[in-house]
Amino acid sequence: HSQGRQNHHGLAQTLGPETLGKELTGLSAAQVDRLREVHNIYLTRDGRASIAGLTSPDVPYVAAAIKEVVEAA
């Protein structure tokens, strides 16, 4: 676990506190819009998602929704 803590700490220093806990999805603005409009899933327009706010029961729904918007593009 020491290695993971070191990597996490280094990542926090590299990205800064404003991005810690937000993951870059690589989704386009149009895909983010579709997630919001069709699936009621909200991300920032640049594709950042707060993974920390995702609960285990929601993971299958979110994963299926992301798959749908990627395949629809």
Side-chain angles (χ1 to χ4, degrees), residues 1-16:
H1 293 295
S2 174
Q3 177 74 23
R5 280 190 215 114
Q6 287 175 346
N7 287 341
H8 185 266
H9 181 68
L11 182 63
Q13 286 181 333
T14 301
L15 296 177

Side-chain angles (χ1 to χ4, degrees), residues 8-41:
H8 185 266
H9 181 68
L11 182 63
Q13 286 181 333
T14 301
L15 296 177
E18 67 281 355
T19 57
L20 190 60
K22 295 206 170 119
E23 303 299 323
L24 298 173
T25 62
L27 297 174
S28 69
Q31 290 168 323
V32 169
D33 290 344
R34 183 170 175 83
L35 271 180
R36 184 183 66 251
E37 294 164 5
V38 175
H39 301 284
N40 294 313
I41 297 173

